[in-house]
Amino acid sequence: MPPEGKSDMERIGIFKELGYISIGDKYTPFIYRPFNDSAYKNKQMLSGPGKSKSALQVGYFDTQFKRIFEREALTDPVKIERQYRIQQTKRNIGKAFLPSNGEKKTCGVGSYYGTFGGPIQAMSALQNPRKPNKSPGKNIYSNPPKKGSGYGYPDVTLSKMVSHSSDPYDRAKEMLKREIMAHKSMLKGGAFRLNLHPVECFDSNPYKFDKPLPPPKKTEEKKHITVPFKPSSPSKKTGGMKAGAFDSYPIYSAEPYGSKKTKSAMMNKEVKIFHPSPGPKSTPVKSIISLNVNKAVNSTNYNRIPSVMAY
């Protein structure tokens, strides 16, 4: 541990930091290190300039233009159609059909000249015999309408008037009375009635007690105290003492145990205080790229490996 400053455990979390060891070679910055030495040594591959696209074969890999079809025949659609027409005319047996005379032309509207059938009789101008015209007759004659709207006016509708018939006031009551009298006349006797009176049980009640009950017992009435209870003296209130309690203060007794240490004795410098070790701390971790470089480049082959980047 250094005389001044923090220990390695407190700084980086390890017991002791390793020293920086080297073989004494001088540091060469990236700017002065050679980059790609083989690019400017010995002969290099040189390519010609780019060529522009034209109708010639210059700029293509093949020296001669190759067609998709070789020695294909030229097809003429007009020639093919003429050949087809000649083949169809060879299939005819004779010459073309020609009518004996030319067509006849009509000399006016309604003329049948030049037709196969000639004039039609049904469409001639002659009149067909018809039956004599007979009149349909006269219409139905009716009386003139009668005046009145129909409500409250007699003999206005098509039907005849209804004759008056009397309607007594108690007609329904009299008809009901007649039906009841006719029903009673058809009865032979009175209404059917049972002679049994409904009772609680089929037999006599065995729990029925006919003797008179004894007189009820008299209960003693409890006496209620009307005067409330009052204590001999009022209650005392506690005022930071034993006033109002049954017992007085207890007698003082000496402490049987020893005296406690004061806070000043605990803070004495001569007494060694235990301090626990600090918890785990973070340590510097190298990146994966630098670890791969350390594995590939070491102290034995670092001079033979050329640098890739110049910065």
Side-chain angles (χ1 to χ4, degrees):
M1 180 177 177
E4 294 180 359
K6 295 182 180 180
S7 61
D8 297 339
M9 177 64 72
E10 294 178 352
R11 288 191 303 104
I12 56 177
I14 56 178
F15 290 102
K16 187 176 182 181
E17 186 178 5
L18 298 177
Y20 301 95
I21 301 170
S22 63
I23 57 176
D25 52 348
K26 295 182 180 180
Y27 176 74
T28 305
F30 290 98
I31 301 172
Y32 300 105
R33 291 181 183 178
F35 172 71
N36 199 4
D37 295 339
S38 61
Y40 50 85
K41 292 181 180 180
N42 301 326
K43 295 182 178 180
Q44 305 294 328
M45 183 178 68
L46 301 176
S47 60
K51 298 180 180 180
S52 60
K53 189 176 181 180
S54 62
L56 302 175
Q57 285 297 115
V58 178
Y60 295 96
F61 292 100
D62 298 334
T63 56
Q64 187 179 2
F65 178 74
K66 295 181 179 180
R67 299 178 60 183
I68 299 174
F69 298 101
E70 292 289 341
R71 299 179 181 179
E72 69 273 12
L74 178 64
T75 55
D76 189 2
V78 179
K79 183 178 179 181
I80 293 172
E81 186 180 357
R82 289 175 181 174
Q83 291 176 356
Y84 176 75
R85 196 182 303 164
I86 292 169
Q87 291 177 1
Q88 294 295 327
T89 52
K90 289 179 179 179
R91 298 175 62 183
N92 296 333
I93 299 173
K95 296 180 180 180
F97 172 77
L98 296 174
S100 58
N101 296 322
E103 59 182 7
K104 296 180 180 180
K105 297 181 180 181
T106 56
C107 60
V109 180
S111 175
Y112 296 97
Y113 179 75
T115 58
F116 292 98
I120 301 171
Q121 298 294 332
M123 301 182 66
S124 63
L126 298 176
Q127 293 183 355
N128 295 330
R130 297 179 180 179
K131 295 180 180 180
N133 188 15
K134 185 178 180 180
S135 62
K138 297 180 180 180
N139 293 329
I140 299 173
Y141 289 97
S142 61
N143 292 330
K146 299 177 181 180
K147 296 180 180 180
S149 61
Y151 179 77
Y153 291 87
D155 199 12
V156 177
T157 58
L158 298 175
S159 60
K160 296 180 179 181
M161 285 187 64
V162 181
S163 59
H164 174 69
S165 58
S166 62
D167 188 11
Y169 181 74
D170 295 335
R171 184 182 178 187
K173 189 176 181 180
E174 290 177 359
M175 291 177 66
L176 181 60
K177 189 176 181 179
R178 289 174 190 173
E179 290 180 1
I180 294 171
M181 293 297 291
H183 176 68
K184 287 183 177 182
S185 62
M186 295 174 65
L187 297 176
K188 294 182 178 181
F192 176 75
R193 292 183 177 86
L194 293 174
N195 295 327
L196 299 175
H197 183 71
V199 293
E200 295 178 358
C201 302
F202 294 101
D203 300 330
S204 60
N205 189 1
Y207 300 102
K208 190 175 182 180
F209 187 73
D210 297 334
K211 295 180 180 181
L213 297 174
K217 296 180 180 180
K218 294 182 180 180
T219 57
E220 295 179 358
E221 295 181 358
K222 295 181 179 180
K223 295 180 180 180
H224 297 283
I225 300 172
T226 57
V227 181
F229 171 75
K230 293 183 179 180
S232 60
S233 60
S235 59
K236 298 179 181 180
K237 297 180 180 180
T238 59
M241 55 184 176
K242 289 290 181 178
F246 292 100
D247 299 330
S248 60
Y249 277 97
I251 302 170
Y252 174 75
S253 59
E255 184 69 28
Y257 302 100
S259 61
K260 296 180 181 180
K261 293 182 179 181
T262 58
K263 195 173 183 180
S264 60
M266 296 294 293
M267 297 299 293
N268 193 3
K269 295 182 180 180
E270 296 178 358
V271 181
K272 294 182 179 181
I273 302 171
F274 172 74
H275 294 283
S277 60
K281 296 183 179 180
S282 61
T283 58
V285 180
K286 295 183 179 180
S287 64
I288 299 172
I289 298 173
S290 61
L291 290 175
N292 294 334
V293 171
N294 292 337
K295 289 179 181 179
V297 181
N298 49 40
S299 60
T300 57
N301 61 353
Y302 75 98
N303 290 328
R304 294 193 297 271
I305 295 176
S307 60
V308 179
M309 305 301 293
Y311 52 88

